Short mmCIF file of all heavy atoms in Angstrom, two decimals:
data_model
loop_
_atom_site.label_atom_id
_atom_site.label_comp_id
_atom_site.label_asym_id
_atom_site.label_seq_id
_atom_site.Cartn_x
_atom_site.Cartn_y
_atom_site.Cartn_z
N MET A 8 77.12 33.28 55.16
CA MET A 8 78.16 34.23 55.59
C MET A 8 78.23 34.05 57.15
O MET A 8 77.16 33.96 57.93
CB MET A 8 77.81 35.70 55.27
CG MET A 8 78.89 36.72 55.77
SD MET A 8 78.64 38.26 55.12
CE MET A 8 77.20 38.89 56.09
N THR A 9 79.38 34.04 57.73
CA THR A 9 79.60 33.80 59.16
C THR A 9 80.27 35.11 59.72
O THR A 9 81.34 35.43 59.09
CB THR A 9 80.37 32.56 59.61
OG1 THR A 9 79.76 31.37 59.04
CG2 THR A 9 80.42 32.48 61.12
N VAL A 10 79.71 35.71 60.69
CA VAL A 10 80.34 36.98 61.30
C VAL A 10 80.85 36.57 62.67
O VAL A 10 80.11 36.03 63.52
CB VAL A 10 79.28 38.11 61.24
CG1 VAL A 10 79.97 39.29 61.91
CG2 VAL A 10 78.82 38.35 59.86
N LEU A 11 82.08 37.02 62.98
CA LEU A 11 82.66 36.74 64.34
C LEU A 11 82.74 38.18 65.00
O LEU A 11 83.22 39.09 64.39
CB LEU A 11 84.00 36.25 64.18
CG LEU A 11 84.87 35.93 65.46
CD1 LEU A 11 84.23 34.82 66.27
CD2 LEU A 11 86.27 35.61 65.12
N PHE A 12 82.26 38.15 66.24
CA PHE A 12 82.32 39.47 67.05
C PHE A 12 82.31 39.13 68.55
O PHE A 12 82.04 38.05 68.97
CB PHE A 12 81.21 40.32 66.70
CG PHE A 12 79.75 39.81 66.94
CD1 PHE A 12 79.15 40.12 68.20
CD2 PHE A 12 79.22 38.98 66.03
CE1 PHE A 12 77.86 39.61 68.52
CE2 PHE A 12 77.84 38.44 66.36
CZ PHE A 12 77.23 38.72 67.53
N SER A 13 82.71 40.03 69.37
CA SER A 13 82.70 39.98 70.74
C SER A 13 81.99 41.13 71.42
O SER A 13 81.93 42.23 70.74
CB SER A 13 84.11 39.95 71.22
OG SER A 13 84.81 38.76 70.88
N LEU A 14 81.51 40.96 72.58
CA LEU A 14 80.80 42.06 73.32
C LEU A 14 81.58 42.44 74.62
O LEU A 14 82.23 41.54 75.12
CB LEU A 14 79.37 41.61 73.63
CG LEU A 14 78.45 41.16 72.53
CD1 LEU A 14 77.16 40.54 73.12
CD2 LEU A 14 78.18 42.45 71.71
N LYS A 15 81.30 43.56 75.04
CA LYS A 15 81.82 44.11 76.32
C LYS A 15 80.90 43.69 77.46
O LYS A 15 79.81 43.20 77.13
CB LYS A 15 82.07 45.61 76.34
CG LYS A 15 83.00 46.08 75.25
CD LYS A 15 83.09 47.61 75.26
CE LYS A 15 83.89 48.18 74.27
NZ LYS A 15 83.84 49.67 74.18
N ARG A 16 81.24 44.03 78.63
CA ARG A 16 80.41 43.62 79.86
C ARG A 16 79.05 44.36 79.66
O ARG A 16 78.07 43.87 80.22
CB ARG A 16 81.12 44.16 81.13
CG ARG A 16 82.17 43.19 81.45
CD ARG A 16 82.87 43.78 82.85
NE ARG A 16 83.99 43.03 83.12
CZ ARG A 16 83.97 41.89 83.78
NH1 ARG A 16 82.68 41.44 84.33
NH2 ARG A 16 84.96 41.20 84.13
N ASP A 17 79.00 45.48 79.06
CA ASP A 17 77.74 46.32 78.99
C ASP A 17 76.97 46.01 77.80
O ASP A 17 75.82 46.43 77.53
CB ASP A 17 78.11 47.84 79.00
CG ASP A 17 78.86 48.24 77.84
OD1 ASP A 17 79.21 47.41 76.97
OD2 ASP A 17 79.08 49.50 77.73
N GLY A 18 77.46 44.94 77.02
CA GLY A 18 76.66 44.48 75.91
C GLY A 18 76.92 45.27 74.60
O GLY A 18 76.29 44.90 73.60
N SER A 19 77.84 46.18 74.70
CA SER A 19 78.21 46.88 73.39
C SER A 19 79.33 46.09 72.67
O SER A 19 79.92 45.19 73.24
CB SER A 19 78.67 48.25 73.75
OG SER A 19 79.90 48.24 74.56
N LEU A 20 79.55 46.38 71.41
CA LEU A 20 80.48 45.80 70.59
C LEU A 20 81.92 45.93 70.96
O LEU A 20 82.24 47.16 71.33
CB LEU A 20 80.27 46.15 69.15
CG LEU A 20 80.94 45.42 68.09
CD1 LEU A 20 80.53 43.96 68.03
CD2 LEU A 20 80.75 46.12 66.76
N LEU A 21 82.72 44.94 71.12
CA LEU A 21 84.15 45.12 71.37
C LEU A 21 84.87 44.91 70.02
O LEU A 21 84.86 43.88 69.45
CB LEU A 21 84.60 43.97 72.32
CG LEU A 21 86.03 43.79 72.65
CD1 LEU A 21 86.54 45.15 73.44
CD2 LEU A 21 86.30 42.65 73.42
N GLY A 22 85.46 45.94 69.53
CA GLY A 22 86.17 45.91 68.23
C GLY A 22 85.22 45.96 67.10
O GLY A 22 84.10 46.31 67.16
N GLN A 23 85.62 45.37 65.92
CA GLN A 23 84.88 45.32 64.80
C GLN A 23 84.47 43.93 64.52
O GLN A 23 85.29 42.98 64.56
CB GLN A 23 85.63 45.88 63.59
CG GLN A 23 85.95 47.40 63.67
CD GLN A 23 84.67 48.22 63.60
OE1 GLN A 23 83.70 48.01 62.82
NE2 GLN A 23 84.54 49.23 64.47
N PRO A 24 83.25 43.72 63.96
CA PRO A 24 82.90 42.41 63.53
C PRO A 24 83.82 42.02 62.34
O PRO A 24 84.21 42.73 61.49
CB PRO A 24 81.42 42.37 63.04
CG PRO A 24 80.94 43.71 63.57
CD PRO A 24 82.13 44.61 63.82
N ARG A 25 84.12 40.63 62.22
CA ARG A 25 84.82 40.13 61.12
C ARG A 25 84.06 39.03 60.42
O ARG A 25 83.42 38.21 60.96
CB ARG A 25 86.27 39.40 61.56
CG ARG A 25 87.32 40.34 61.94
CD ARG A 25 88.59 39.69 62.29
NE ARG A 25 88.22 38.53 63.05
CZ ARG A 25 89.20 37.45 63.03
NH1 ARG A 25 90.26 37.48 62.30
NH2 ARG A 25 88.92 36.35 63.85
N ILE A 26 84.13 39.06 59.08
CA ILE A 26 83.48 37.92 58.28
C ILE A 26 84.47 36.87 58.18
O ILE A 26 85.59 37.14 57.52
CB ILE A 26 83.09 38.46 56.91
CG1 ILE A 26 82.05 39.58 57.12
CG2 ILE A 26 82.51 37.37 56.04
CD1 ILE A 26 81.64 40.32 55.82
N THR A 27 84.15 35.73 58.76
CA THR A 27 85.16 34.66 58.77
C THR A 27 84.87 33.63 57.55
O THR A 27 85.76 32.78 57.36
CB THR A 27 85.17 33.87 60.07
OG1 THR A 27 83.76 33.45 60.34
CG2 THR A 27 85.57 34.89 61.23
N HIS A 28 83.68 33.64 57.07
CA HIS A 28 83.38 32.72 55.98
C HIS A 28 82.26 33.37 55.21
O HIS A 28 81.34 33.92 55.73
CB HIS A 28 82.92 31.45 56.49
CG HIS A 28 82.45 30.48 55.38
ND1 HIS A 28 83.30 29.76 54.59
CD2 HIS A 28 81.27 30.14 54.97
CE1 HIS A 28 82.65 29.09 53.69
NE2 HIS A 28 81.31 29.25 53.95
N SER A 29 82.31 33.17 53.80
CA SER A 29 81.21 33.62 53.05
C SER A 29 81.31 32.83 51.66
O SER A 29 82.32 32.41 51.22
CB SER A 29 81.25 35.15 52.65
OG SER A 29 82.41 35.44 51.94
N ARG A 30 80.12 32.48 51.18
CA ARG A 30 79.88 32.00 49.83
C ARG A 30 78.89 32.80 49.20
O ARG A 30 77.62 32.36 49.05
CB ARG A 30 79.67 30.48 49.93
CG ARG A 30 79.70 29.79 48.56
CD ARG A 30 79.64 28.29 48.78
NE ARG A 30 78.37 27.96 49.41
CZ ARG A 30 78.08 26.77 49.81
NH1 ARG A 30 78.98 25.81 49.81
NH2 ARG A 30 76.92 26.55 50.51
N LEU A 31 79.04 33.96 48.74
CA LEU A 31 78.05 34.78 48.22
C LEU A 31 78.01 34.56 46.72
O LEU A 31 78.85 34.20 45.97
CB LEU A 31 78.55 36.29 48.47
CG LEU A 31 78.79 36.66 49.92
CD1 LEU A 31 79.23 38.10 49.95
CD2 LEU A 31 77.50 36.43 50.73
N THR A 32 76.66 34.76 46.25
CA THR A 32 76.39 34.57 44.73
C THR A 32 75.82 35.85 44.37
O THR A 32 75.39 36.62 45.16
CB THR A 32 75.41 33.35 44.55
OG1 THR A 32 74.23 33.66 45.27
CG2 THR A 32 76.08 32.08 45.03
N GLY A 33 75.64 35.88 43.06
CA GLY A 33 74.95 37.15 42.41
C GLY A 33 75.98 38.16 42.01
O GLY A 33 77.20 38.01 42.20
N ALA A 34 75.47 39.14 41.61
CA ALA A 34 76.22 40.27 41.05
C ALA A 34 77.07 40.95 42.26
O ALA A 34 76.61 40.90 43.41
CB ALA A 34 75.44 41.42 40.35
N LEU A 35 78.19 41.65 41.99
CA LEU A 35 79.04 42.13 43.04
C LEU A 35 78.27 43.20 43.93
O LEU A 35 78.40 43.24 45.07
CB LEU A 35 80.32 42.79 42.38
CG LEU A 35 81.28 43.39 43.35
CD1 LEU A 35 81.78 42.22 44.29
CD2 LEU A 35 82.57 43.90 42.66
N ASP A 36 77.42 44.06 43.22
CA ASP A 36 76.64 45.05 43.89
C ASP A 36 75.73 44.37 44.80
O ASP A 36 75.34 44.92 45.94
CB ASP A 36 76.06 46.06 42.94
CG ASP A 36 75.08 45.42 42.01
OD1 ASP A 36 75.37 44.32 41.62
OD2 ASP A 36 74.06 46.08 41.63
N GLU A 37 75.14 43.27 44.48
CA GLU A 37 74.29 42.51 45.31
C GLU A 37 74.91 41.93 46.47
O GLU A 37 74.33 41.86 47.73
CB GLU A 37 73.44 41.36 44.53
CG GLU A 37 72.55 41.90 43.52
CD GLU A 37 72.00 40.73 42.64
OE1 GLU A 37 72.68 39.62 42.46
OE2 GLU A 37 70.95 40.94 42.00
N GLN A 38 76.13 41.41 46.30
CA GLN A 38 76.89 40.86 47.40
C GLN A 38 77.25 41.91 48.36
O GLN A 38 77.11 41.68 49.62
CB GLN A 38 78.11 40.21 46.85
CG GLN A 38 77.92 39.02 46.05
CD GLN A 38 79.23 38.50 45.33
OE1 GLN A 38 80.25 38.67 45.94
NE2 GLN A 38 79.15 37.73 44.36
N ARG A 39 77.67 43.10 47.98
CA ARG A 39 77.91 44.17 48.82
C ARG A 39 76.79 44.63 49.65
O ARG A 39 76.82 44.96 50.79
CB ARG A 39 78.60 45.35 48.02
CG ARG A 39 79.95 45.08 47.57
CD ARG A 39 80.49 46.29 46.84
NE ARG A 39 81.88 45.95 46.30
CZ ARG A 39 82.47 46.61 45.37
NH1 ARG A 39 81.77 47.47 44.69
NH2 ARG A 39 83.67 46.22 45.02
N ALA A 40 75.59 44.74 48.98
CA ALA A 40 74.41 45.13 49.61
C ALA A 40 74.04 44.12 50.83
O ALA A 40 73.58 44.46 51.85
CB ALA A 40 73.19 45.24 48.53
N PHE A 41 74.24 42.71 50.46
CA PHE A 41 73.93 41.81 51.39
C PHE A 41 74.82 41.94 52.71
O PHE A 41 74.37 41.84 53.84
CB PHE A 41 74.08 40.36 50.83
CG PHE A 41 73.86 39.23 51.71
CD1 PHE A 41 72.61 38.95 52.15
CD2 PHE A 41 74.86 38.47 52.34
CE1 PHE A 41 72.33 37.84 53.06
CE2 PHE A 41 74.63 37.59 53.24
CZ PHE A 41 73.31 37.14 53.61
N VAL A 42 76.17 42.09 52.37
CA VAL A 42 77.11 42.24 53.54
C VAL A 42 76.74 43.47 54.31
O VAL A 42 76.76 43.49 55.57
CB VAL A 42 78.58 42.27 53.02
CG1 VAL A 42 79.57 42.61 54.07
CG2 VAL A 42 78.86 40.91 52.41
N SER A 43 76.46 44.56 53.61
CA SER A 43 76.11 45.77 54.35
C SER A 43 74.86 45.61 55.24
O SER A 43 74.83 46.10 56.35
CB SER A 43 75.95 46.89 53.25
OG SER A 43 75.56 48.14 53.90
N ALA A 44 73.87 45.05 54.63
CA ALA A 44 72.65 44.74 55.38
C ALA A 44 72.85 43.82 56.56
O ALA A 44 72.26 44.24 57.61
CB ALA A 44 71.55 44.28 54.48
N ALA A 45 73.61 42.95 56.44
CA ALA A 45 73.95 41.96 57.52
C ALA A 45 74.68 42.72 58.67
O ALA A 45 74.32 42.64 59.89
CB ALA A 45 74.80 40.78 57.00
N LEU A 46 75.73 43.41 58.34
CA LEU A 46 76.40 44.15 59.39
C LEU A 46 75.66 45.31 60.04
O LEU A 46 75.63 45.55 61.28
CB LEU A 46 77.70 44.73 58.84
CG LEU A 46 78.70 43.70 58.42
CD1 LEU A 46 79.92 44.35 57.74
CD2 LEU A 46 79.12 42.83 59.47
N SER A 47 74.72 45.95 59.27
CA SER A 47 73.86 47.03 59.82
C SER A 47 72.82 46.35 60.67
O SER A 47 72.43 46.97 61.70
CB SER A 47 73.09 47.70 58.64
OG SER A 47 74.04 48.40 57.87
N GLY A 48 72.35 45.12 60.36
CA GLY A 48 71.44 44.42 61.32
C GLY A 48 72.00 44.11 62.58
O GLY A 48 71.41 44.22 63.59
N ILE A 49 73.25 43.61 62.51
CA ILE A 49 74.04 43.40 63.81
C ILE A 49 74.18 44.64 64.74
O ILE A 49 73.72 44.73 65.85
CB ILE A 49 75.32 42.75 63.62
CG1 ILE A 49 75.14 41.35 63.08
CG2 ILE A 49 76.14 42.70 64.90
CD1 ILE A 49 76.41 40.70 62.57
N ALA A 50 74.53 45.66 63.99
CA ALA A 50 74.77 47.05 64.69
C ALA A 50 73.41 47.48 65.30
O ALA A 50 73.40 48.17 66.37
CB ALA A 50 75.34 48.03 63.78
N SER A 51 72.25 47.26 64.61
CA SER A 51 71.00 47.87 65.16
C SER A 51 70.50 47.12 66.45
O SER A 51 69.69 47.49 67.01
CB SER A 51 69.90 47.78 63.96
OG SER A 51 69.65 46.30 63.78
N CYS A 52 71.12 45.83 66.59
CA CYS A 52 70.70 45.17 67.83
C CYS A 52 71.61 45.52 69.14
O CYS A 52 71.42 44.91 70.12
CB CYS A 52 70.85 43.69 67.61
SG CYS A 52 69.67 43.03 66.30
N LEU A 53 72.60 46.34 68.87
CA LEU A 53 73.53 46.73 69.97
C LEU A 53 73.23 48.03 70.54
O LEU A 53 72.83 48.89 69.80
CB LEU A 53 74.91 46.55 69.39
CG LEU A 53 75.37 45.29 68.77
CD1 LEU A 53 76.69 45.30 68.09
CD2 LEU A 53 75.41 44.28 69.92
N PRO A 54 73.47 48.30 71.82
CA PRO A 54 74.04 47.23 72.69
C PRO A 54 72.94 46.27 73.14
O PRO A 54 71.84 46.62 73.26
CB PRO A 54 74.46 48.09 73.87
CG PRO A 54 73.70 49.35 73.88
CD PRO A 54 73.35 49.59 72.33
N VAL A 55 73.41 45.06 73.40
CA VAL A 55 72.50 44.03 73.95
C VAL A 55 72.24 44.18 75.39
O VAL A 55 73.22 44.49 76.23
CB VAL A 55 73.19 42.62 73.72
CG1 VAL A 55 72.25 41.51 74.25
CG2 VAL A 55 73.47 42.36 72.20
N PRO A 56 71.05 44.22 75.87
CA PRO A 56 70.71 44.44 77.27
C PRO A 56 71.17 43.17 78.05
O PRO A 56 70.63 42.08 77.76
CB PRO A 56 69.20 44.60 77.43
CG PRO A 56 68.66 44.10 76.14
CD PRO A 56 69.76 44.17 75.07
N VAL A 57 72.19 43.25 78.94
CA VAL A 57 72.64 42.14 79.79
C VAL A 57 72.61 42.55 81.30
O VAL A 57 72.75 43.76 81.62
CB VAL A 57 74.00 41.72 79.29
CG1 VAL A 57 73.99 41.19 77.90
CG2 VAL A 57 75.08 42.79 79.48
N THR A 58 72.50 41.57 82.06
CA THR A 58 72.65 41.76 83.47
C THR A 58 74.15 41.81 83.86
O THR A 58 74.90 41.43 82.98
CB THR A 58 71.96 40.55 84.28
OG1 THR A 58 72.65 39.31 83.89
CG2 THR A 58 70.48 40.51 83.96
N PRO A 59 74.55 42.35 84.97
CA PRO A 59 75.93 42.34 85.28
C PRO A 59 76.59 41.01 85.36
O PRO A 59 77.66 40.76 84.92
CB PRO A 59 75.96 43.02 86.63
CG PRO A 59 74.67 43.82 86.78
CD PRO A 59 73.64 43.03 85.89
N GLY A 60 75.82 39.91 85.77
CA GLY A 60 76.38 38.58 85.87
C GLY A 60 76.63 37.96 84.39
O GLY A 60 77.62 37.43 84.12
N LEU A 61 75.65 38.20 83.63
CA LEU A 61 75.80 37.68 82.13
C LEU A 61 76.83 38.57 81.46
O LEU A 61 77.62 37.95 80.75
CB LEU A 61 74.46 37.88 81.43
CG LEU A 61 74.43 37.33 79.96
CD1 LEU A 61 74.82 35.88 79.89
CD2 LEU A 61 73.10 37.56 79.33
N GLY A 62 76.91 39.80 81.70
CA GLY A 62 77.93 40.62 81.04
C GLY A 62 79.39 40.25 81.48
O GLY A 62 80.19 40.20 80.61
N GLY A 63 79.51 39.69 82.71
CA GLY A 63 80.85 39.22 83.12
C GLY A 63 81.13 37.93 82.47
O GLY A 63 82.34 37.64 82.17
N ALA A 64 80.12 37.11 82.21
CA ALA A 64 80.42 35.84 81.59
C ALA A 64 80.70 35.94 80.12
O ALA A 64 81.47 35.13 79.58
CB ALA A 64 79.14 34.96 81.85
N ILE A 65 80.13 36.84 79.47
CA ILE A 65 80.22 36.96 77.99
C ILE A 65 81.25 37.96 77.51
O ILE A 65 81.67 37.93 76.45
CB ILE A 65 78.94 37.32 77.21
CG1 ILE A 65 78.48 38.78 77.62
CG2 ILE A 65 77.80 36.20 77.55
CD1 ILE A 65 77.29 39.25 76.78
N ALA A 66 81.80 38.80 78.35
CA ALA A 66 82.70 39.77 77.96
C ALA A 66 83.97 39.25 77.33
O ALA A 66 84.62 38.35 77.94
CB ALA A 66 83.20 40.57 79.22
N GLY A 67 84.20 39.69 76.09
CA GLY A 67 85.41 39.25 75.35
C GLY A 67 85.28 37.85 74.71
O GLY A 67 86.20 37.53 73.84
N ARG A 68 84.17 37.12 74.87
CA ARG A 68 84.05 35.82 74.25
C ARG A 68 83.59 36.01 72.93
O ARG A 68 82.78 36.76 72.66
CB ARG A 68 83.16 34.91 74.98
CG ARG A 68 83.64 34.53 76.43
CD ARG A 68 82.75 33.63 77.14
NE ARG A 68 83.19 33.37 78.45
CZ ARG A 68 83.86 32.29 78.80
NH1 ARG A 68 84.21 31.41 77.97
NH2 ARG A 68 84.20 32.17 80.06
N PRO A 69 84.17 35.12 71.95
CA PRO A 69 83.82 35.25 70.55
C PRO A 69 82.32 34.65 70.36
O PRO A 69 82.02 33.66 70.84
CB PRO A 69 84.87 34.47 69.85
CG PRO A 69 85.37 33.56 70.85
CD PRO A 69 85.22 34.21 72.16
N PHE A 70 81.55 35.39 69.48
CA PHE A 70 80.22 34.84 69.03
C PHE A 70 80.39 34.76 67.57
O PHE A 70 80.88 35.58 66.83
CB PHE A 70 79.19 35.89 69.38
CG PHE A 70 78.82 35.99 70.84
CD1 PHE A 70 79.37 36.88 71.64
CD2 PHE A 70 77.95 35.02 71.35
CE1 PHE A 70 79.12 36.92 72.95
CE2 PHE A 70 77.64 35.06 72.78
CZ PHE A 70 78.21 36.06 73.59
N ARG A 71 79.82 33.65 66.97
CA ARG A 71 79.77 33.48 65.55
C ARG A 71 78.28 33.44 65.17
O ARG A 71 77.45 32.73 65.69
CB ARG A 71 80.41 32.12 65.10
CG ARG A 71 81.85 32.20 65.26
CD ARG A 71 82.50 30.81 65.07
NE ARG A 71 83.97 31.03 65.19
CZ ARG A 71 84.65 30.88 66.29
NH1 ARG A 71 83.93 30.83 67.45
NH2 ARG A 71 85.90 31.00 66.39
N LEU A 72 77.93 34.30 64.23
CA LEU A 72 76.56 34.43 63.81
C LEU A 72 76.51 34.08 62.29
O LEU A 72 77.20 34.62 61.58
CB LEU A 72 76.08 35.89 63.92
CG LEU A 72 74.66 36.11 63.61
CD1 LEU A 72 73.62 35.30 64.34
CD2 LEU A 72 74.41 37.72 63.70
N ARG A 73 75.80 33.10 61.94
CA ARG A 73 75.69 32.66 60.61
C ARG A 73 74.39 33.28 60.02
O ARG A 73 73.30 33.23 60.53
CB ARG A 73 75.33 31.07 60.55
CG ARG A 73 75.35 30.55 59.20
CD ARG A 73 75.30 29.08 59.24
NE ARG A 73 75.19 28.50 57.88
CZ ARG A 73 74.79 27.34 57.61
NH1 ARG A 73 74.33 26.59 58.55
NH2 ARG A 73 74.55 26.87 56.37
N ILE A 74 74.59 34.04 58.89
CA ILE A 74 73.58 34.79 58.26
C ILE A 74 73.36 34.19 56.86
O ILE A 74 74.34 34.03 56.10
CB ILE A 74 74.00 36.29 58.19
CG1 ILE A 74 74.25 36.83 59.59
CG2 ILE A 74 72.87 37.02 57.44
CD1 ILE A 74 74.75 38.27 59.56
N MET A 75 72.10 33.80 56.61
CA MET A 75 71.86 33.10 55.34
C MET A 75 70.74 33.86 54.68
O MET A 75 69.92 34.61 55.24
CB MET A 75 71.32 31.63 55.64
CG MET A 75 72.43 30.82 56.30
SD MET A 75 71.89 29.23 56.74
CE MET A 75 71.14 28.57 55.30
N SER A 76 70.69 33.78 53.30
CA SER A 76 69.73 34.40 52.62
C SER A 76 69.08 33.34 51.55
O SER A 76 69.99 32.59 50.91
CB SER A 76 70.22 35.59 51.72
OG SER A 76 69.27 35.99 50.82
N ARG A 77 67.93 33.25 51.45
CA ARG A 77 67.24 32.31 50.51
C ARG A 77 66.85 33.08 49.36
O ARG A 77 66.10 34.13 49.47
CB ARG A 77 66.13 31.51 51.11
CG ARG A 77 66.64 30.71 52.23
CD ARG A 77 65.67 29.58 52.64
NE ARG A 77 66.16 28.82 53.72
CZ ARG A 77 65.55 28.16 54.58
NH1 ARG A 77 64.13 28.31 54.64
NH2 ARG A 77 66.06 27.42 55.39
N ARG A 78 66.98 32.58 48.14
CA ARG A 78 66.41 33.24 46.97
C ARG A 78 64.98 33.00 46.97
O ARG A 78 64.34 32.07 47.46
CB ARG A 78 67.00 32.52 45.77
CG ARG A 78 68.46 32.86 45.64
CD ARG A 78 68.81 32.76 44.17
NE ARG A 78 70.21 33.08 43.85
CZ ARG A 78 70.68 34.23 43.54
NH1 ARG A 78 69.87 35.20 43.54
NH2 ARG A 78 71.94 34.41 43.46
N PRO A 79 64.24 34.06 46.56
CA PRO A 79 62.76 33.93 46.44
C PRO A 79 62.34 32.86 45.54
O PRO A 79 63.03 32.62 44.48
CB PRO A 79 62.26 35.33 45.86
CG PRO A 79 63.56 36.13 45.83
CD PRO A 79 64.69 35.35 46.03
N GLU A 80 61.23 32.08 45.90
CA GLU A 80 60.88 31.02 45.10
C GLU A 80 60.13 31.65 43.88
O GLU A 80 59.44 32.63 43.98
CB GLU A 80 59.87 30.10 45.88
CG GLU A 80 60.74 29.38 46.98
CD GLU A 80 59.82 28.41 47.61
OE1 GLU A 80 58.85 28.02 47.18
OE2 GLU A 80 60.23 28.08 48.81
N ARG A 81 60.23 30.93 42.78
CA ARG A 81 59.52 31.41 41.59
C ARG A 81 57.97 30.93 41.66
O ARG A 81 57.65 29.91 42.22
CB ARG A 81 60.06 30.74 40.31
CG ARG A 81 61.38 31.21 40.00
CD ARG A 81 61.77 30.60 38.55
NE ARG A 81 63.23 30.59 38.49
CZ ARG A 81 63.80 30.11 37.46
NH1 ARG A 81 63.16 29.54 36.44
NH2 ARG A 81 65.13 30.12 37.41
N ALA A 82 57.16 31.95 41.18
CA ALA A 82 55.75 31.57 41.18
C ALA A 82 55.54 30.70 39.87
O ALA A 82 56.09 30.86 38.82
CB ALA A 82 54.97 32.90 40.89
N THR A 83 54.74 29.56 40.12
CA THR A 83 54.55 28.60 39.09
C THR A 83 53.14 28.82 38.45
O THR A 83 52.31 29.50 38.87
CB THR A 83 54.71 27.20 39.50
OG1 THR A 83 53.73 26.99 40.65
CG2 THR A 83 56.14 26.97 39.89
#
């Protein structure tokens, strides 16, 4: 799944993150749980601590975050 989002000068979220690509597998409730956990994970990292110089450089620029999940390996 790929999530697109932008940050403000102070490192907080600008607008709402958008899912731009996904290829989810499994039951519908598992897919919803994965998306919810991914978006909650992003939210828990915000606001990002940035210096004024970095904040000016990143403000409004799009970031794409690729989030992957690997199925647990089977015990043999």
